[in-house]
Amino acid sequence: MQVPDEARAAADTHAKYHYRGSYASRALRAYPLTSYFQVLFATGDVMAQQGVEKVGIQKHDLSRTGRMALYGGAVFGPGATLWYRFLQKRIVLRSENATIFARVMTDQVVFASTNLFLFLSSMAIMEGSSPSDKLESTYWNALKKNWMLWPAVQAVNFKYVPLDARVFVVNIVSLGWNCYLSYVNSQGKPPAVTDTEDLEVPR
């Protein structure tokens, strides 16, 4: 029996995207994601300290870089991996544009807001400061900046970039974004008091 051209084309398209998805899945499983995200977040912090704040090598806060690396490897990496698999499998609508719009909106409303909350809270806990104070001083402004950047990035990424190359696009943008997050987090710290004798007691 002769297969119609439309059916053959549909089968070829399905096979092509199935191959891409399988290739990307194998790459994700083979790559050491925890170490990868640790490096990504640590690099963003180094860029913030040296490129934005210009503290110099001798005054570089290694513990701050370590906290960023820990969050990237222990929280963001596993969470983002599971989340994007969820988006790819569960949010599929009738048209491609509708699917992209739904994925971007869900990503920004659910994941972006939750991840930023966890990031600032965990940083405050590891620094020994108040999570509520950190969130009050930095959360809303950082979330607005997130919404100014990532919806457009993800829309272009989902629309035009092949599945197995999307991670590279996100990674390039993430270097700058993680630099910004590290800077915002450092600006949310309360001023440290090192010597109680410097305090003026009101009379």
Side-chain angles (χ1 to χ4, degrees):
M1 183 177 64
Q2 185 178 3
V3 179
D5 293 339
E6 294 82 358
R8 185 183 298 109
D12 291 343
T13 300
H14 175 77
K16 178 179 67 173
Y17 282 102
H18 177 75
Y19 171 78
R20 286 183 177 180
S22 299
Y23 176 84
S25 298
R26 290 195 301 270
L28 285 174
R29 288 194 297 267
Y31 208 91
L33 284 175
T34 298
S35 300
Y36 175 78
F37 283 106
Q38 285 176 336
V39 172
L40 196 64
F41 272 72
T43 302
D45 177 70
V46 172
M47 291 170 59
Q49 292 196 51
Q50 301 302 325
V52 180
E53 301 166 41
K54 301 184 184 300
V55 299
I57 298 299
Q58 293 184 348
K59 294 184 179 180
H60 187 91
D61 188 348
L62 291 176
S63 61
R64 169 176 154 183
T65 303
R67 290 191 293 268
M68 288 286 291
L70 178 61
Y71 180 84
V75 180
F76 181 83
T81 301
L82 293 174
W83 174 250
Y84 285 113
R85 287 175 182 170
F86 168 82
L87 289 181
Q88 189 72 20
K89 292 181 178 180
R90 300 298 182 184
I91 300 184
V92 181
L93 304 181
R94 291 185 176 180
S95 71
E96 180 186 13
N97 289 335
T99 298
I100 292 171
F101 178 80
R103 287 176 180 173
V104 171
M105 290 298 296
T106 305
D107 179 60
Q108 292 304 302
V109 173
V110 178
F111 184 79
S113 58
T114 303
N115 175 62
L116 185 59
F117 178 90
L118 291 174
F119 171 77
L120 294 173
S121 300
S122 61
M123 288 296 111
I125 292 172
M126 287 188 283
E127 293 163 359
S129 58
S130 170
S132 59
D133 291 343
K134 175 69 68 67
L135 290 168
E136 183 177 357
S137 63
T138 60
Y139 178 79
W140 180 237
N141 285 333
L143 187 59
K144 287 190 291 186
K145 292 293 192 301
N146 174 92
W147 287 338
M148 292 170 62
L149 172 67
W150 282 105
V153 171
Q154 293 290 51
V156 172
N157 205 19
F158 289 144
K159 177 72 174 179
Y160 299 107
V161 180
L163 178 61
D164 54 338
R166 289 174 189 169
V167 65
F168 297 107
V169 175
V170 172
N171 294 343
I172 292 171
V173 180
S174 291
L175 281 174
W177 178 249
N178 291 336
C179 173
Y180 170 76
L181 283 182
S182 179
Y183 174 75
V184 166
N185 178 68
S186 69
Q187 300 306 299
K189 292 181 181 178
V193 177
T194 58
D195 192 347
T196 55
E197 293 181 358
D198 293 337
L199 294 176
E200 181 179 354
V201 180
R203 298 179 180 177

